[in-house]
Amino acid sequence: MIIVFESILPIFLLVLLGAWLKRTTLVDQNLWLGLEQFGYYILFPALLFSTLAQADFSGMKADATAIATIGSVSLMSVFVLLLWPLFRNREVSGASFTSVFQTATRWNGFMALAIAQKLYGPIGLTLTALVMTLVIIPINLYNVGVLVWFGGGNRDFRRFFAKIVTNPLIVASVFGIVFNLVGIKVYGPVMTTIDMLASASLSLGLVMVGAGLRVSDALKPSRSALLAVVLKLIVMPVFMVGASFLLGIRGDALCVIALGAAVPTAMNGYLLAKQMGGDAELYAAVATVQTVVSFFTIPLVLSVTAYVAAG
């Protein structure tokens, strides 16, 4: 567990760096939005395409991985939906419930990519990118559906469906897999350019995670926020590791899947909450608390999973 803890420490130091920089005058505050857009539309798609287009999927049990990850996300979504009567009885608004749902089911793929690369090398990066590709569409569909039903915001299904299918991360992932499976080779200098962009994405992504945190929200979390922390950092790993183990996934592959389940929620759900009538303030609070707590729960989840994976 100490080895895992020390391995992920640099990841969290970059997150802390981002949180500190956002609150100083060293960096022009107008820069952050541009960096976020540059990462979202250019750097992270480059990383996904580069990883998936050049990956060796042999021996990865892609079919079992797909069933385990998509199935676990679906089961988790149903589980959280079944909790709605409890929230309603405690007079929690539908908007607040959508933020609990989002933060319990979304996961920060870029943090997972960085930790996977640090702990498991290229194979960890490839498998994490594959898992991201598998779950990104169902996760967005489930979350948009819940926001439409409970949030009371804009209910234009066509508009948000268009956003999902034109999502740069989805598009880059699909193209990367297609190029890989069909055997399309990218012109060498162009691929080198994409690889250079990809190499800059993880560090910038972690700094941006830190910049998006709201430290004050972590000091007095609400009951809803604490429940979302438990659902995402404890319950989700149990679902995903259990399903993967039953489907015969073992070794580092099982640990990488556990990592994807154990990382905190993604920051992009905050913007979706603002757009679709969710509780954006609660989302920001949960994301902050999850990120802090995950520094301790990720090593625990990975250590337990490693023990299980060893048989």
Side-chain angles (χ1 to χ4, degrees):
M1 188 168 174
I2 295 298
I3 295 174
V4 175
F5 185 88
E6 291 180 343
S7 296
I8 68 172
L9 180 59
I11 309 302
F12 282 90
L13 289 177
L14 283 175
V15 173
L16 289 174
L17 175 63
W20 177 73
L21 286 174
K22 181 69 181 292
R23 290 154 183 82
T24 68
T25 58
L26 291 177
V27 178
D28 189 330
Q29 295 301 301
N30 296 321
L31 179 66
W32 293 107
L33 178 59
L35 284 176
E36 183 178 302
Q37 293 171 334
F38 181 54
Y40 185 70
Y41 288 102
I42 303 297
L43 295 183
F44 300 134
L47 173 65
L48 291 173
F49 176 82
S50 172
T51 301
L52 293 170
Q54 302 176 86
D56 180 6
F57 293 120
S58 61
M60 280 194 178
K61 295 189 176 180
D63 52 347
T65 301
I67 295 171
T69 53
I70 296 175
S72 297
V73 167
S74 301
L75 285 173
M76 187 68 183
S77 299
V78 172
F79 178 72
V80 179
L81 283 173
L82 291 174
L83 297 176
W84 165 240
L86 298 177
F87 282 88
R88 184 177 54 198
N89 291 339
R90 292 183 175 273
E91 299 183 347
V92 175
S93 68
S96 295
F97 177 71
T98 65
S99 288
V100 173
F101 183 92
Q102 280 213 90
T103 53
T105 55
R106 287 187 178 277
W107 60 293
N108 196 315
F110 306 121
M111 185 177 288
L113 285 166
I115 297 174
Q117 183 185 49
K118 178 71 175 177
L119 288 175
Y120 307 108
I123 187 66
L125 192 65
T126 298
L127 184 56
T128 304
L130 175 61
V131 172
M132 282 185 68
T133 304
L134 292 170
V135 302
I136 193 171
I137 294 178
I139 281 179
N140 279 283
L141 285 173
Y142 298 157
N143 279 278
V144 168
V146 166
L147 279 160
V148 167
W149 188 262
F150 292 95
N154 190 327
R155 296 193 172 188
D156 187 343
F157 280 102
R158 290 176 298 179
R159 175 168 167 252
F160 284 96
F161 179 75
K163 281 193 173 184
I164 290 172
V165 298
T166 59
N167 183 304
L169 307 181
I170 295 174
V171 173
S173 298
V174 170
F175 270 94
I177 290 177
V178 170
F179 273 52
N180 188 308
L181 296 179
V182 177
I184 301 174
K185 300 296 182 183
V186 180
Y187 178 52
V190 174
M191 195 69 231
T192 300
T193 303
I194 295 173
D195 288 339
M196 291 174 69
L197 287 170
S199 66
S201 64
L202 292 180
S203 297
L204 177 62
L206 294 169
V207 171
M208 294 304 301
V209 168
L213 297 181
R214 298 174 55 165
V215 179
S216 59
D217 291 326
L219 302 179
K220 294 182 179 180
S222 65
R223 289 183 179 180
S224 295
L226 291 175
L227 177 59
V229 171
V230 174
L231 288 172
K232 178 65 190 72
L233 302 183
I234 303 299
V235 179
M236 176 66 94
V238 170
F239 275 26
M240 197 161 287
V241 172
S244 301
F245 185 83
L246 290 175
L247 289 167
I249 300 173
R250 300 288 189 275
D252 286 349
L254 184 62
C255 292
V256 171
I257 291 174
L259 172 62
V263 293
T265 194
M267 294 300 177
N268 56 6
Y270 173 78
L271 299 177
L272 197 61
K274 290 184 68 175
Q275 292 174 344
M276 298 190 65
D279 189 339
E281 297 299 316
L282 177 59
Y283 192 102
V286 174
T288 301
V289 177
Q290 282 186 359
T291 301
V292 173
V293 175
S294 68
F295 183 56
F296 304 98
T297 57
I298 289 175
L300 177 62
V301 169
L302 292 181
S303 297
V304 172
T305 303
Y307 178 79
V308 172

